[in-house]
Amino acid sequence: MLHVPSEYNGRPALYLYRNGGCDVGLYADGTKKRVEWDASIPPAYPEQMDLKITDWCDAGCAWCHEKSTVRGKHGDVDAMIALLSSLPAGVEIAIGGGDPLSHPGFADLVGGLRAHGLVPSVTINGRHLERHRPLLETLIGRGNLFGVGVSFFEKLPDWDYEHMVIHMITGVDRPEALDGSDRRKLLLLGYKNFGRGAKYKRAFSEGVTRNIDQWFRELPVLAIKHHLSFDTLAISLLRPERLFIDPEVYKKRYMGDEGEFSMYVDGVMQTGAISSYSDERHPWTDIGSMYQLIRETAGHVSLKAA
């Protein structure tokens, strides 16, 4: 008997699964619930994975931590599907790049992941949205994509898709870009001092710092106007826990530290890591072993220690 409900807010569960001493439910509105029933049993697999499938991109963002260029290579689709095929149905795969939809095998990749019950989403640069929108809408219609993250570029995208989330980088994007907009789903990302991002920060350190300070000051107002979520870097920079009257409510919404229930896979170089901005890369073996190695090096409880 799983400890997570079969529906949430009137929406049915897409997937319910057990992972170590936790039960996980993924629901039709995009909500994920995790219930820990035995803290002594560590998870065997990640609940969520960032998967880079290509280094090719023509955007040329000066702060790109992946250092993507038009000379970038694509990853092997069959190898990525084979690696991830042992994950439980319901695990979320956040696909990125580079420009992931430039990969000629993108449709085959998401179709292959869905065949194993995995839940793909994709993040694209806002300047590429119109270029890729027909393919996105086709794959969404087939049930092969469950969400689209659009990295902010110049203006908010004009696309009426329920599961679109706008990604904004603290340190780069400006909060005033949201002035006068309707309520949006936003993912605030911490500045990654990695790849080209390290060079950009050295050149524009004061501007990056001022921008982060502005997001910090305006966060209470933005939290009222928009639906906010955060990556772990943004949490450390913006401290959203200060917005909660009851600390226990924040603890229930916090989904874990880097490497605790997540990992990063570089499908181009065929390595794994705790995150996309980590220098420590692990060999491509099987996904369970790669995840446990990441948990160990991150200081989380591992299967070997249980």
Side-chain angles (χ1 to χ4, degrees):
M1 181 79 178
L2 295 177
H3 296 74
V4 286
S6 59
E7 65 176 43
Y8 181 75
N9 284 340
R11 306 292 293 272
L14 297 175
Y15 293 96
L16 303 171
Y17 64 94
R18 176 157 289 174
N19 188 12
C22 292
D23 292 338
V24 182
L26 191 65
Y27 300 89
D29 64 351
T31 299
K32 181 167 73 175
K33 292 182 71 69
R34 180 196 304 130
V35 175
E36 184 179 70
W37 54 272
D38 189 340
S40 69
I41 308 176
Y45 300 99
E47 292 173 11
Q48 189 275 335
M49 176 185 301
D50 290 327
L51 173 65
K52 182 177 75 168
I53 68 169
T54 183
D55 275 323
W56 190 96
C57 187
D58 61 357
C61 300
W63 48 84
C64 177
H65 68 286
E66 294 285 7
K67 299 191 291 187
S68 301
T69 71
V70 293
R71 297 182 299 277
K73 296 180 179 180
H74 299 310
D76 185 309
V77 166
D78 291 338
M80 289 185 275
I81 293 173
L83 178 73
L84 306 185
S85 62
S86 62
L87 290 169
V91 169
E92 298 170 275
I93 310 296
I95 301 170
D99 172 22
L101 271 82
S102 71
H103 195 306
F106 183 81
D108 292 333
L109 173 66
V110 295
L113 295 177
R114 288 298 298 131
H116 292 285
L118 303 175
V119 183
S121 62
V122 66
T123 298
I124 66 171
N125 192 299
R127 75 187 74 200
H128 296 151
L129 178 57
E130 290 308 310
R131 176 199 300 177
H132 295 313
R133 186 164 161 178
L135 178 57
L136 289 170
E137 292 178 341
T138 296
L139 295 174
I140 290 167
R142 291 177 184 169
N144 284 350
L145 271 181
F146 285 78
V148 177
V150 179
S151 298
F152 179 81
F153 175 68
E154 292 187 348
K155 63 179 182 178
L156 296 171
D158 181 19
W159 188 29
D160 184 20
Y161 172 50
E162 177 185 7
H163 299 301
M164 178 180 67
V165 179
I166 311 301
H167 293 195
M168 300 188 79
I169 304 173
T170 57
V172 176
D173 299 317
R174 301 181 67 85
E176 54 262 37
L178 299 166
D179 290 352
S181 73
D182 296 332
R183 185 173 179 83
R184 296 283 189 146
K185 294 179 181 179
L186 304 176
L187 173 61
L188 301 185
L189 305 170
Y191 188 88
K192 295 179 175 65
N193 190 28
F194 193 80
R196 288 205 297 266
K199 183 178 179 181
Y200 182 87
K201 190 174 182 182
R202 286 195 299 271
F204 303 103
S205 178
E206 291 185 7
V208 170
T209 300
R210 283 197 304 270
N211 182 277
I212 293 171
D213 290 343
Q214 183 182 4
W215 280 101
F216 185 92
R217 292 192 306 271
E218 297 188 22
L219 192 64
V221 174
L222 293 170
I224 295 171
K225 293 183 176 180
H226 301 281
H227 181 90
L228 301 184
S229 54
F230 307 82
D231 73 356
T232 51
L233 270 179
I235 287 172
S236 67
L237 293 171
L238 304 180
R239 295 184 21 237
E241 68 274 12
R242 62 196 164 99
L243 306 180
F244 290 78
I245 296 173
D246 184 352
E248 292 303 313
V249 174
Y250 175 77
K251 288 179 182 179
K252 288 180 180 179
R253 296 190 179 184
Y254 183 67
M255 298 307 290
D257 295 339
E258 296 276 25
E260 190 172 3
F261 297 99
S262 63
M263 65 179 291
Y264 168 78
V265 167
D266 185 331
V268 180
M269 299 302 295
Q270 296 195 347
T271 58
I274 187 172
S275 71
S276 61
Y277 51 95
S278 172
D279 281 318
E280 187 173 9
R281 301 298 167 107
H282 303 291
W284 180 285
T285 53
D286 67 90
I287 198 65
S289 298
M290 292 167 70
Y291 174 59
Q292 292 306 320
L293 181 58
I294 286 165
R295 282 179 56 83
E296 290 176 16
T297 55
H300 302 302
V301 177
S302 69
L303 284 174
K304 293 179 180 179

